[in-house]
Amino acid sequence: MGNLIKSEGYKLRKDRAFQLLTWMLIAISFLFPLLEFDREGSAPPIVNDYYRNEILGVHTNIVKLIPSILAGFFITSEYSMGTMKSIASSGNSRLRIYFAKLAMFSVGAIVISLILPMIMTGASAIYFGFDDMPEWTYYLQTIGLIILYSAAFASIMAVFSILFTDSGKTIGFLLLFFMFVDWPLQVLAAKAPFFEPMISHSVFKLVYDIVVIDQLKGTEVLIIVVIPILTFVAFGLIGSFIYQKKEIK
């Protein structure tokens, strides 16, 4: 298992899509707050407000959409290149192969998802001043939740990635799925009240509550922490089952 994780870690570091997405987000993290700083006729925003409204306001899309592109290249492209067949016939169990790949893909998704909350916050503090920074407890809580939800969404992406054998189809499907999944879930919750508690306690709904973590109570905090962990485990098992049954050509 250790060698499999090392192998997948090496592939992740060398993955050009991962490198491109990482550097692109780093550039955005420095340039976007600079536009606010150079805006004429208005004072620079407070870093605490900027973190809550601007950085965390867009992080849900970053967590769901950008790793979808990585999934198409890091997982699905190995089918088209024939690499997946070589890996499956290497003598390692498919269960270990799948979880090693899922683990490193999750690491890649987490790295991508943390760039804006960490680097953009630092850049905005340099531009706007270090006064009125977010409270450390709130900042660390949001960072921890972003890590959990990035891993949860990565486990969902991995399931769809192994179902397709074409990177374009995988990326296109995942982008459309995560862009529009909220709307049918809201309609389903309104039309069928039986599903409403399930949808309200899903990662698709709870990810929007990360920004208000400091306003949640004991049970609500427990739910927002436990649900992504259960989602990761559930979709990890589903994906490993599909991968073990899938014919790899």
Side-chain angles (χ1 to χ4, degrees):
M1 188 69 177
N3 290 333
L4 282 172
I5 291 179
K6 289 180 181 177
S7 175
E8 295 298 329
Y10 176 81
K11 286 190 285 186
L12 178 65
R13 292 194 300 274
K14 297 297 182 181
D15 191 289
R16 292 185 178 180
F18 177 65
Q19 295 175 354
L20 176 62
L21 293 171
T22 300
W23 285 113
M24 181 186 71
L25 289 172
I26 290 175
I28 291 174
S29 298
F30 281 102
L31 293 176
F32 200 79
L34 185 61
L35 297 177
E36 295 283 346
F37 181 72
D38 285 342
R39 183 177 295 177
E40 295 183 358
S42 61
I46 297 172
V47 178
N48 183 42
D49 295 340
Y50 194 77
Y51 180 70
R52 285 177 176 269
N53 300 326
E54 301 297 333
I55 299 176
L56 293 184
V58 301
H59 92 280
T60 50
N61 291 327
I62 300 297
V63 168
K64 293 188 292 185
L65 299 181
I66 303 300
S68 296
I69 301 173
L70 178 63
F73 289 101
F74 184 67
I75 300 177
T76 311
S77 64
E78 292 197 330
Y79 284 101
S80 57
M81 292 188 299
T83 310
M84 190 66 79
K85 184 176 181 179
S86 301
I87 298 173
S89 58
S90 63
N92 293 292
S93 71
R94 289 197 178 190
L95 184 68
R96 290 185 174 184
I97 293 171
Y98 182 81
F99 274 101
K101 188 168 288 294
L102 173 60
M104 293 316 303
F105 172 61
S106 300
V107 169
I110 290 170
V111 170
I112 288 172
S113 301
L114 288 178
I115 290 175
L116 260 63
M118 298 185 75
I119 297 182
M120 187 179 282
T121 302
S124 61
I126 294 172
Y127 298 143
F128 308 151
F130 287 87
D131 298 330
D132 297 314
M133 294 287 288
E135 292 184 5
W136 277 108
T137 51
Y138 174 75
Y139 182 72
L140 293 177
Q141 285 175 336
T142 55
I143 291 295
L145 288 173
I146 289 172
I147 291 173
L148 292 179
Y149 280 79
S150 300
F153 284 119
S155 68
I156 298 173
M157 295 172 193
V159 170
F160 289 110
S161 297
I162 62 170
L163 291 174
F164 297 101
T165 56
D166 181 87
S167 297
K169 292 178 182 177
T170 300
I171 295 171
F173 174 83
L174 287 176
L175 289 177
L176 290 174
F177 176 77
F178 284 112
M179 285 174 64
F180 297 108
V181 67
D182 292 342
W183 176 73
L185 289 179
Q186 291 175 1
V187 173
L188 181 62
K191 298 293 183 182
F194 174 79
F195 290 105
E196 196 279 332
M198 186 185 305
I199 295 172
S200 297
H201 294 85
S202 69
V203 290
F204 300 103
K205 171 66 170 59
L206 293 173
V207 69
Y208 295 104
D209 292 340
I210 293 177
V211 68
V212 294
I213 181 62
D214 56 338
Q215 302 173 22
L216 301 182
K217 305 302 179 184
T219 305
E220 295 171 321
V221 173
L222 180 64
I223 290 173
I224 200 174
V225 171
V226 170
I227 291 298
I229 297 173
L230 295 178
T231 301
F232 181 85
V233 173
F235 278 89
L237 294 175
I238 293 171
S240 64
F241 177 78
I242 296 173
Y243 185 70
Q244 291 181 74
K245 299 297 182 183
K246 187 177 181 62
E247 180 183 1
I248 302 176
K249 300 180 180 178

